Amino acid sequence: MRLLNILKNDRGGQIMMLVLLIMAILVPIFNLMVPENHPLHVPTYTVTLMGKYLTLALLAVAVDLVWGYLGILTLGHGAFFALGGYAMGMYLMRQIGDRGVYGNPELPDFMVFLDWKELPWFWQGFDQFWFAAIMIMLVPGLLAFIFGWLAFRSRVSGVYLSIITQAMTYALMLAFYRNEMGFGGNNGLTDFKDLVGFSLQEDTTRIALFVLSAVALAIGYLICRYLMNSRLGRVCIAVRDSESRARFMGYRVENVKLWIFVISAMLAGVAGALYVPQVGIINPNEFSPINSIEIVVWVAVGGRATLYGAVIGALLINYAKTYFTAELPEVWLFALGGIFVLVTLLLPKGVTGLIAGLKRHKEVPA
């Protein structure tokens, strides 16, 4: 009943939840129980690809929370996504043990190669899943808290805030490229074997990760929708529409921005953690500013301030990216730029705005 109240006036969210439920039930059945030569069989590669798309959709929802409802155009959420991914990658590396190339039960292969003698202090504890799970949310959340506390209390906003969020993720990218940082340098972390004792090469593990990605997207969406339905959500919209007026009415605008920014960063960290075991690698390229810009494009294409629009945009753009990078790799970036320009000029409210407009047009009597 509480779930129905959260989605009471959210038709798009209701449809999305139903689709996720159907996918979480049917995809495992079509993968594990339908013969490979049957036309309804879903290959494991496709399952993994869909799981990756769902994690990116969660990342898009996190960005829509701050951009769509607070008006903060963040170009640094790729950093929170990557930090969550690195936390998961560190746990997965610790699970390799003596099965690595060098057979060292304590040190990951890249540390042995670089002649490190002992495990760095910040790797301690990552052999335990519970510790890694905490770090997946704590590290992005803590960075967002420190960054937001400094930026919002200084009343940095608009394009200036966008620039410094982009500078933050670029600085992290440069730092993680350095071998002495202890995160694998430009090669990053890879060659993962197990996740909580289950082989990452098994079809059942891939299915479990897909289902977990669907569940995480659903929970993340419900958290965001609950927040936006609450009094806090109404204050967020007031801040977005007129920050000076909200401040004049007595609201601590910087606190509202800070906590929504932190929650969004934690959701991005969870998305990154689920992304890594499905793609099999995490490296500093995930911090690249262009990745954060792409996320904004997903949200713009789907439609800001809808949440489910961010999911639609992420799925559409990433499917297009998969197709173009395989069939026409040299035109992908031009296609992405063209899509963003067309949406900005012709569909300022994104795909969801177009659908809503068509629906209203049909309802108007002739």
Side-chain angles (χ1 to χ4, degrees):
M1 186 62 68
R2 191 66 177 269
L3 176 62
L4 293 177
N5 288 335
I6 295 175
L7 299 175
K8 184 176 180 180
N9 298 314
D10 184 9
R11 181 64 174 168
Q14 294 171 9
I15 295 172
M16 189 197 80
M17 290 296 173
L18 179 60
V19 171
L20 285 176
L21 178 62
I22 293 171
M23 289 175 62
I25 294 172
L26 293 183
V27 170
I29 293 174
F30 290 156
N31 175 261
L32 299 174
M33 302 180 67
V34 176
E36 291 187 11
N37 57 356
H38 195 281
L40 290 179
H41 176 75
V42 179
T44 302
Y45 169 78
T46 303
V47 173
T48 301
L49 193 62
M50 289 191 293
K52 184 182 83 168
Y53 289 166
L54 292 178
T55 63
L56 297 176
L58 176 57
L59 175 59
V61 169
V63 171
D64 194 24
L65 182 65
V66 292
W67 187 30
Y69 292 94
L70 263 180
I72 299 174
L73 177 56
T74 170
L75 299 179
H77 258 56
F80 306 129
F81 178 81
L83 288 172
Y86 265 97
M88 175 60 81
M90 292 165 74
Y91 165 76
L92 295 173
M93 291 296 287
R94 293 297 307 273
Q95 298 309 297
I96 295 174
D98 58 6
R99 291 173 293 172
V101 175
Y102 298 101
N104 191 303
E106 187 72 14
L107 299 180
D109 284 338
F110 75 89
M111 292 186 184
V112 178
F113 178 78
L114 294 172
D115 199 30
W116 290 42
K117 302 303 182 185
E118 59 183 9
L119 199 68
W121 64 268
F122 49 84
W123 277 76
Q124 301 294 336
F126 277 96
D127 56 332
Q128 301 294 324
F129 180 76
W130 65 267
F131 181 83
I134 293 173
M135 292 298 108
I136 284 166
M137 292 187 288
L138 180 62
V139 174
L142 183 60
L143 175 62
F145 180 83
I146 295 172
F147 177 89
W149 192 84
L150 294 172
F152 301 140
R153 288 184 179 276
S154 300
R155 300 193 181 184
V156 180
S157 60
V159 66
Y160 303 104
L161 183 61
S162 299
I163 290 172
I164 62 174
T165 57
Q166 192 174 53
M168 174 190 70
T169 188
Y170 186 68
L172 285 169
M173 182 185 72
L174 295 180
F176 274 70
Y177 266 123
R178 299 174 66 88
N179 285 326
E180 56 267 31
M181 284 289 290
F183 297 105
N186 62 321
N187 293 321
L189 309 177
T190 188
D191 194 31
F192 309 132
K193 309 291 187 187
D194 300 330
L195 176 61
V196 291
F198 297 96
S199 172
L200 288 172
Q201 308 308 317
E202 294 290 334
D203 290 353
T204 50
T205 307
R206 294 288 177 173
I207 285 291
L209 286 168
F210 166 78
V211 173
L212 282 173
S213 299
V215 171
L217 175 57
I219 293 174
Y221 184 92
L222 290 172
I223 290 172
C224 294
R225 179 56 66 197
Y226 174 78
L227 289 172
M228 292 305 103
N229 288 346
S230 67
R231 182 171 176 268
L232 176 61
R234 293 190 288 275
V235 174
C236 287
I237 294 173
V239 171
R240 179 196 66 187
D241 293 342
S242 180
E243 181 176 333
S244 58
R245 183 177 298 176
R247 196 183 298 276
F248 180 76
M249 293 177 66
Y251 291 108
R252 296 293 299 272
V253 170
E254 60 274 10
N255 290 347
V256 173
K257 288 184 173 182
L258 178 61
W259 291 114
I260 294 297
F261 192 67
V262 169
I263 291 169
S264 175
M266 293 170 72
L267 290 175
V270 172
L274 288 168
Y275 174 86
V276 167
Q278 296 184 84
V279 299
I281 188 172
I282 177 72
N283 61 39
N285 287 333
E286 296 298 337
F287 287 102
S288 175
I290 194 170
N291 290 347
S292 295
I293 295 172
E294 273 193 37
I295 304 165
V296 171
V297 174
W298 305 343
V299 177
V301 169
R304 286 174 57 195
T306 60
L307 296 179
Y308 63 87
V311 175
I312 294 172
L315 297 179
L316 286 177
I317 296 297
N318 281 286
Y319 176 78
K321 183 177 183 179
T322 300
Y323 173 80
F324 278 111
T325 52
E327 301 296 331
L328 300 166
E330 64 279 0
V331 304
W332 160 242
L333 288 178
F334 297 101
L336 179 66
I339 290 171
F340 186 61
V341 170
L342 289 174
V343 168
T344 302
L345 295 177
L346 303 179
L347 297 173
K349 295 184 179 180
V351 173
T352 55
L354 174 63
I355 295 172
L358 292 174
K359 186 178 179 181
R360 286 194 300 269
H361 180 73
K362 289 182 179 180
E363 291 175 351
V364 175

